Amino acid sequence: VPQHVWRINLDTPEEAHQNLSFGAADRWWEQTDLTKLILASNKLQCLSEDVQLLPALTVLDVHDNQLTSLPSALGQLENLQKLDVSHNKLERIPEELMQLAHLKSLLLQHNELSRLPDGFGQLVTLEELDLSNNRLTDIPTSFALLVNLVRLNLACNQLKNLPADISAMKSLRQLDCTKNYLETVPSKLATMASLEQLYLRRNKLRSLPEFPSCKFLKELHAGENQIEILNAESLKHLNSLSVLELRDNKIKSVPDEITLLQKLERLDLANNDISRLPYTLGNLPQLKFLALEGNPLRTIRRDLLQVSTRGSTQELLKYLRSKIQDDVTNPTEEPPVTAMTLPSESKINMHAITTLKLLDYSEKQAAVVPDEMFCAVQGHPVATVNFSKNQLKEVPPRIVELKDSVCDVNLGFNKISSISPELGILHKLTHLDIRNNLLTSLPEELVALARLQIINLSFNRFKAFPSVLYHIPALETILLSNNQVGSVDPLQLKKMDKLGTLDLQNNDLLQVPPELGNCENLRTLLLEGNPFRTPRAAILAKGTAAVLEYLRSRIPT
């Protein structure tokens, strides 16, 4: 560093010796002392002790140099608030640095530090401390005194444990311990009331800590560990959690208590040993992303597990909701209803109705849904109706009584041959599942379902694409596989600007209209198993974008 930089506050400027008639701009004796000095991204190997000649400095930035040590004179910069010495080759920190009584931000990442001064806790004004990518094996217990610290980054070191005293950091909101050798987390960590984000990825944890006091914890990242058991106790206090990332562990089961995390938006359980899930997971109201791929889940279709879009997560959640059984009842109740049970004897699951907002009468092989099921709902807003896997020949007429609350209706696996126009009254409906029935058409009255996002009509007897669907603009997913549909109208489909998934597999399409290529909102277009000649299988195999591009190239000009 040129010497005159250190002396900038002291020396009379050159021009003062030549020009003796000073204008207002030249009154050098009135200049203020230097407050910011940025020497980043140079090739400095040392800093002069003359840094003490700049006592007014509030910011000193020397990141990305080749410094192996720091001058002890730094400790005299009593106004310093931000010190950035990251991306250097520092092996130690001078004790004098602990005298900086106003320091708020200290950035030491990407150095070669193996230990820190014991007196580190003297930096009580610190709000941000980054020690990531060093060689630290332990943390001084005096860290407990850093009560104003908001962000602490300890990622990519060699820490085997954290001192329990760290829990005294009452202001800490973000703690990053990614990529260390932690086998446990001190139980006292659970008392850190301000903590919002906790990163524990890539350690050697065998279980998740319990967090009884972390009422504000919003994100918990603990992927790539060796966690085998997910305890209900670890979950039940995390009322504010929106992100729970546990991918690449050895978790075998997920406790029902996960449904207490009502604010959860992202849940990543990919690549674990989970063989079954609580179906009530489907009722988490805010969940937008659920990753389950790489688990031995035998009860869930493979295609549902390859989650990549918000639409496919919604499909998966809907599937889970459809599977909610009487396993949500109290285990002390009578044995479950069987095909031999008379409707009047059917046990009504009031817990499901009141708590889960679910009216479930599925897998009963029943020809009708008993009236007492609808009577039981009186006064309780039901969001989900599951009447699947029965012998119903029509939509139960009393379903219209639920019009002010029901969003999700599952009538799959029945013997329904026509849909009553009254279904159009369910104006809040977003999901409608009528797969595996005997339908040949849909009534035009369904155009009133203005909020309908997903409709599943697979395995029915449609010979034509139901024209009413073209006029429901909110539709995002249409599943029409395994029918006998002979044609689609590409111009009408193009107007459906929300439509992202269209499944027409195993139908009777003799040709694919080239104009379908203009439906550029489609992210998933499935056409396999139809008798058309083009596009050929090799193009279909390349995926939706390639198919749409091929179709556009065939539009006559």
Side-chain angles (χ1 to χ4, degrees):
V1 179
Q3 188 62 24
H4 69 262
V5 172
W6 302 128
R7 300 188 57 82
I8 197 166
N9 292 342
L10 306 176
D11 292 349
T12 311
E14 281 292 306
E15 59 269 23
H17 301 299
Q18 297 147 15
N19 180 0
L20 298 177
S21 58
F22 298 111
D26 302 324
R27 295 155 74 100
W28 50 267
W29 58 88
E30 290 183 0
Q31 77 177 25
T32 57
D33 282 354
L34 191 69
T35 57
K36 278 187 190 177
L37 178 55
I38 299 175
L39 297 164
S41 302
N42 281 289
K43 296 181 179 177
L44 304 178
Q45 293 180 348
C46 64
L47 278 182
S48 165
E49 297 283 346
D50 286 342
V51 70
Q52 65 195 22
L53 300 176
L54 300 173
L57 278 186
T58 60
V59 175
L60 177 58
D61 183 352
V62 287
H63 83 265
D64 188 21
N65 278 284
Q66 295 166 23
L67 300 174
T68 54
S69 64
L70 293 174
S72 52
L74 275 182
Q76 296 178 38
L77 302 181
E78 56 185 28
N79 293 298
L80 202 62
Q81 293 180 21
K82 177 174 181 176
L83 176 59
D84 187 348
V85 288
S86 62
H87 294 270
N88 278 286
K89 297 178 179 178
L90 300 175
E91 294 178 9
R92 55 176 292 277
I93 301 291
E95 294 279 350
E96 290 80 2
L97 213 62
M98 305 304 111
Q99 299 163 16
L100 296 173
H102 297 104
L103 197 63
K104 289 184 177 175
S105 173
L106 177 55
L107 306 180
L108 292 161
Q109 69 269 29
H110 289 276
N111 277 288
E112 295 171 15
L113 302 172
S114 54
R115 61 178 300 275
L116 297 172
D118 290 335
F120 213 92
Q122 294 169 39
L123 298 171
V124 288
T125 52
L126 267 190
E127 294 174 10
E128 176 183 34
L129 175 58
D130 193 337
L131 289 160
S132 60
N133 292 281
N134 277 285
R135 298 173 183 173
L136 299 174
T137 52
D138 58 14
I139 296 296
T141 51
S142 67
F143 258 48
L145 302 172
L146 303 177
V147 291
N148 291 303
L149 203 61
V150 175
R151 286 184 298 281
L152 174 58
N153 192 344
L154 299 169
C156 303
N157 278 286
Q158 296 164 23
L159 302 173
K160 290 188 176 159
N161 50 47
L162 293 173
D165 307 339
I166 206 171
S167 60
M169 296 180 179
K170 294 301 179 206
S171 306
L172 199 66
R173 293 211 294 265
Q174 186 183 63
L175 174 59
D176 191 344
C177 300
T178 303
K179 203 176 176 194
N180 278 283
Y181 301 118
L182 301 176
E183 292 180 11
T184 57
V185 173
S187 54
K188 271 190 164 179
L189 202 68
T191 62
M192 300 179 75
S194 299
L195 202 58
E196 292 179 7
Q197 294 172 305
L198 178 58
Y199 295 84
L200 297 168
R201 300 190 79 240
R202 300 182 72 180
N203 278 283
K204 296 180 182 293
L205 298 176
R206 295 191 174 277
S207 64
L208 264 191
E210 293 174 21
F211 299 99
S213 300
C214 298
K215 296 280 188 272
F216 297 107
L217 194 64
K218 293 185 174 71
E219 296 188 22
L220 176 55
H221 300 259
E224 292 187 61
N225 278 284
Q226 294 161 23
I227 298 170
E228 293 182 11
I229 296 174
L230 206 51
N231 278 327
E233 287 299 313
S234 306
L235 299 174
K236 66 183 192 187
H237 302 288
L238 300 176
N239 306 338
S240 302
L241 205 64
S242 64
V243 176
L244 179 56
E245 188 266 306
L246 294 166
R247 66 183 297 127
D248 299 288
N249 276 288
K250 298 176 180 176
I251 297 168
K252 292 183 171 54
S253 66
V254 179
D256 290 339
E257 281 75 7
I258 197 142
T259 54
L260 297 173
L261 308 181
Q262 289 285 299
K263 293 190 177 167
L264 206 57
E265 294 179 19
R266 293 179 68 86
L267 176 58
D268 191 342
L269 294 167
N271 304 327
N272 277 280
D273 297 331
I274 299 166
S275 54
R276 65 170 294 279
L277 277 179
Y279 292 133
T280 46
L281 205 58
N283 284 323
L284 284 173
Q286 312 281 337
L287 201 59
K288 298 183 178 71
F289 176 89
L290 173 60
L292 294 170
E293 66 268 22
N295 281 288
L297 286 161
R298 291 180 185 82
T299 54
I300 297 181
R301 295 203 322 267
R302 289 270 295 283
D303 59 313
L304 281 175
L305 296 180
Q306 304 303 323
V307 171
S308 55
T309 64
R310 183 167 182 269
S312 44
T313 291
Q314 294 309 314
E315 263 292 282
L316 179 50
L317 295 178
K318 179 170 181 292
Y319 172 81
L320 291 173
R321 283 195 294 274
S322 76
K323 303 289 275 186
I324 293 172
Q325 295 298 324
D326 295 325
D327 60 2
V328 290
T329 52
N330 204 324
T332 57
E333 290 181 358
E334 280 98 50
V337 179
T338 69
M340 300 303 292
T341 311
L342 294 170
S344 57
E345 297 166 21
S346 70
K347 193 77 186 140
I348 294 169
N349 185 350
M350 287 309 294
H351 167 74
I353 290 172
T354 55
T355 309
L356 303 173
K357 299 185 170 54
L358 163 72
L359 178 59
D360 187 357
Y361 195 76
S362 60
E363 297 195 52
K364 303 282 190 282
Q365 301 306 312
V368 291
V369 176
D371 277 344
E372 50 263 47
M373 293 302 293
F374 291 102
C375 296
V377 172
Q378 303 287 316
H380 299 292
V382 163
T384 304
V385 171
N386 185 2
F387 293 156
S388 65
K389 298 185 181 172
N390 282 297
Q391 304 283 325
L392 304 179
K393 292 186 173 161
E394 62 171 6
V395 178
R398 290 189 64 180
I399 202 168
V400 299
E401 296 171 17
L402 311 175
K403 68 180 192 313
D404 291 328
S405 60
V406 73
C407 310
D408 187 330
V409 170
N410 188 348
L411 294 162
F413 300 92
N414 279 289
K415 296 188 172 174
I416 300 170
S417 55
S418 70
I419 296 289
S420 56
E422 282 73 31
L423 205 64
I425 294 172
L426 305 180
H427 59 98
K428 291 195 171 172
L429 207 59
T430 58
H431 294 65
L432 179 57
D433 190 340
I434 338 178
R435 75 182 91 172
N436 294 72
N437 277 284
L438 309 171
L439 298 173
T440 55
S441 64
L442 294 180
E444 292 300 319
E445 285 79 0
L446 295 193
V447 73
L449 301 178
R451 299 187 189 181
L452 190 64
Q453 294 172 3
I454 297 177
I455 189 164
N456 192 339
L457 300 168
S458 305
F459 292 94
N460 276 283
R461 299 184 179 177
F462 289 97
K463 288 189 162 60
F465 190 95
S467 58
V468 64
L469 298 184
Y470 293 131
H471 306 294
I472 303 177
L475 271 173
E476 296 173 7
T477 300
I478 298 175
L479 306 177
L480 247 177
S481 67
N482 297 281
N483 281 280
Q484 297 150 38
V485 174
S487 65
V488 291
D489 185 336
L491 300 177
Q492 296 274 24
L493 283 172
K494 187 173 185 334
K495 294 178 190 169
M496 302 177 72
D497 53 7
K498 296 268 174 58
L499 190 64
T501 300
L502 177 58
D503 184 353
L504 291 166
Q505 294 175 101
N506 304 321
N507 275 284
D508 292 345
L509 295 172
L510 284 166
Q511 57 182 20
V512 182
E515 293 78 11
L516 195 58
N518 289 329
C519 299
E520 294 181 20
N521 291 319
L522 279 178
R523 292 186 306 278
T524 307
L525 173 63
L526 303 172
L527 297 168
E528 289 81 358
N530 280 284
F532 56 76
R533 296 253 176 106
T534 57
R536 296 189 180 281
I539 291 171
L540 295 182
K542 289 181 182 174
T544 300
V547 171
L548 295 177
E549 187 180 345
Y550 170 83
L551 290 171
R552 283 195 295 278
S553 74
R554 309 271 294 192
I555 296 174
T557 48

